[in-house]
Amino acid sequence: MGMLVDGKWTDDDGIRNDKGKFVRPDSICRNWVTKDGAPGPSGSAGFEAEPGRYHLYVSHNCPWAYRTVLFRKLKGLEDLISMAISASSVKGEGWTYVEEEGCVPDSVNQIKYLHEAYTKSDPHYTGRVTVPTLWDKKQNIIVSNESSEIIRMFNSEFNHLTGNEDDYYHEDLREEIDTINDDVYGNLNNGVYRCGFAASQEAYEEAYEKLFGCLDRMEERLSKQRYLVGGRLTESDWRLFSTLVRFDIVYYGLFKCNKRHVYEYPNLWDYTLELYQYPGVAEVSRLDHFKRGYYAAMPKLNPLAIVPVGPDLDFTQSHDRNRFPIA
Ligand SMILES: N[C@@H](CCC(=O)N[C@@H](CS)C(=O)NCC(=O)O)C(=O)O
């Protein structure tokens, strides 16, 4: 896709490898919005939760951006945090914000390319330009480009403004949530990319085995309880769901994750249906963009950019998760 080097846009093939294995670099911008602007877990201060102060750059197809879009919706933050939605295809210089069906141009910085926000924040920025990116309109800088941290901020730091006390990172469940997240992140959320972007047969097969091992563990877990961590919905569920909802549409085919579809796992599939049908979720889930955003924007994997018509999935069909109690 390309990246910034000392503030200059530079083309590359978007695939980073170490012995054929795809390596996702750590996110660089790691500030935290907190209720009162006190330092967050990464130590930065001065980012107080205020209505209208923050702006989120996303794209519909990206699973990392999608987590933040989900949390913005679930936590009732839509009127407090503005959002720009990129075209699902990546054109020219990375994530692009233009008038297009299903997209929202950037009303804050009026940028065309996301990298312009990065150099506005830091004229000498070196690194990848990724969605999601959370922008501070007051200081004109990037707060964070790490989705796992942005969802934590959304989960708790704006509650006094919204009155929404729903908690997806319950204090008493944190250890278990973190353990599940490690498994799901390494083997599945990122695991699908490690399959799709592998540059050797060996690297692909290793990622593939780990991925389906993780799906089997999650299937087993969900055969005994409603959600990943007992009977309560947590961020682990939303993080798993973000990959599951794309799996049969994109990863099964394009990324060669084709041992089994999610719909072939009885519990994982019904669980995916339940979460898709959770209030607000379908509204922010653009299944058409999921597909187009990958198939039409990854020339190395799909040079002719032909977007498949199927699969024919119905996420609105009934499910049987009510057989388990909610705690
Ligand atoms: N760790 C980051 C990863 C974000 C990420 O890699 N996003 C992808 C889109 S799915 C991206 O923008 N990639 C562009 C690139 O790496 O150049 C997060 O979770 O926020």
Side-chain angles (χ1 to χ4, degrees):
M1 171 181 291
M3 64 182 284
L4 284 172
V5 177
D6 194 21
K8 301 266 174 316
W9 184 255
T10 316
D11 282 323
D12 70 4
D13 68 3
I15 298 185
R16 290 80 67 188
N17 281 296
D18 176 16
K19 298 198 189 82
K21 294 183 189 178
F22 168 67
V23 180
R24 186 177 295 282
D26 287 339
S27 305
I28 293 176
C29 310
R30 309 293 281 263
N31 299 304
W32 281 73
V33 176
T34 55
K35 182 181 173 186
D36 51 7
S42 63
S44 61
F47 296 92
E48 185 179 343
E50 293 175 52
R53 177 166 169 181
Y54 299 99
H55 184 58
L56 190 59
Y57 290 98
V58 298
S59 85
H60 279 304
N61 59 298
C62 168
W64 320 105
Y66 179 70
R67 300 166 165 185
T68 64
V69 174
L70 281 176
F71 270 73
R72 176 174 174 268
K73 182 83 190 168
L74 296 169
K75 291 293 301 183
L77 292 166
E78 288 173 300
D79 293 337
L80 268 62
I81 298 172
S82 52
M83 189 160 78
I85 306 177
S86 172
S88 52
S89 50
V90 180
K91 298 173 188 145
E93 301 180 17
W95 297 108
T96 312
Y97 291 86
V98 287
E99 208 58 76
E100 206 169 307
E101 190 278 323
C103 298
V104 180
D106 177 27
S107 59
V108 171
N109 292 307
Q110 278 83 35
I111 53 166
K112 178 172 179 199
Y113 296 117
L114 183 56
H115 72 72
E116 297 166 52
Y118 277 66
T119 46
K120 185 169 179 182
S121 178
D122 172 3
H124 297 287
Y125 183 88
T126 293
R128 307 214 65 88
V129 173
T130 54
V131 286
T133 294
L134 186 64
W135 178 263
D136 178 5
K137 299 178 196 170
K138 202 166 180 173
Q139 303 185 66
N140 274 320
I141 51 173
I142 291 172
V143 181
S144 172
N145 65 351
E146 176 46 51
S147 63
S148 60
E149 294 172 2
I150 296 173
I151 63 173
R152 295 254 166 103
M153 301 172 208
F154 287 5
N155 181 55
S156 57
E157 301 306 316
F158 294 82
N159 290 4
H160 62 295
L161 299 173
T162 60
N164 180 321
E165 297 287 335
D166 295 346
D167 186 8
Y168 298 103
Y169 193 49
H170 313 271
E171 190 105 38
D172 55 323
L173 303 178
R174 286 188 183 173
E175 223 181 288
E176 204 177 341
I177 291 174
D178 290 342
T179 306
I180 296 268
N181 286 351
D182 283 349
D183 186 357
V184 170
Y185 172 78
N187 297 311
L188 186 63
N189 300 139
N190 201 35
V192 292
Y193 286 89
R194 293 176 65 239
C195 285
F197 293 166
S200 73
Q201 185 69 31
E202 200 185 347
Y204 161 68
E205 287 185 20
E206 186 192 316
Y208 179 98
E209 291 307 325
K210 287 187 173 165
L211 189 158
F212 285 95
C214 178
L215 280 178
D216 287 346
R217 282 192 293 285
M218 297 306 132
E219 168 69 13
E220 164 71 14
R221 216 175 161 88
L222 291 168
S223 70
K224 301 195 187 95
Q225 58 195 46
R226 182 122 178 190
Y227 302 118
L228 287 181
V229 185
R232 277 189 277 173
L233 253 182
T234 67
E235 66 164 45
S236 297
D237 296 299
W238 295 117
R239 290 170 54 131
L240 172 61
F241 170 72
S242 299
T243 295
L244 294 181
V245 72
R246 285 163 175 73
F247 197 92
D248 295 349
I249 300 175
V250 179
Y251 305 138
Y252 183 93
L254 187 67
F255 285 2
K256 306 183 192 76
C257 303
N258 56 3
K259 185 174 185 177
R260 233 172 262 126
H261 295 91
V262 170
Y263 66 68
E264 294 175 78
Y265 292 91
N267 292 286
L268 278 174
W269 178 239
D270 273 29
Y271 166 87
T272 305
L273 297 177
E274 181 188 1
L275 294 193
Y276 182 83
Q277 292 165 27
Y278 195 84
V281 172
E283 213 182 299
V284 296
S285 305
R286 288 294 306 255
L287 308 180
D288 54 338
H289 280 240
F290 293 177
K291 197 189 290 184
R292 204 152 32 96
Y294 283 88
Y295 275 99
M298 293 192 172
K300 282 236 154 177
L301 298 184
N302 191 28
L304 297 180
I306 291 170
V307 180
V309 178
D312 193 7
L313 299 173
D314 178 9
F315 286 99
T316 64
Q317 65 187 274
S318 57
H319 62 81
D320 71 353
R321 300 305 289 170
N322 294 324
R323 73 185 200 270
F324 297 111
I326 297 178

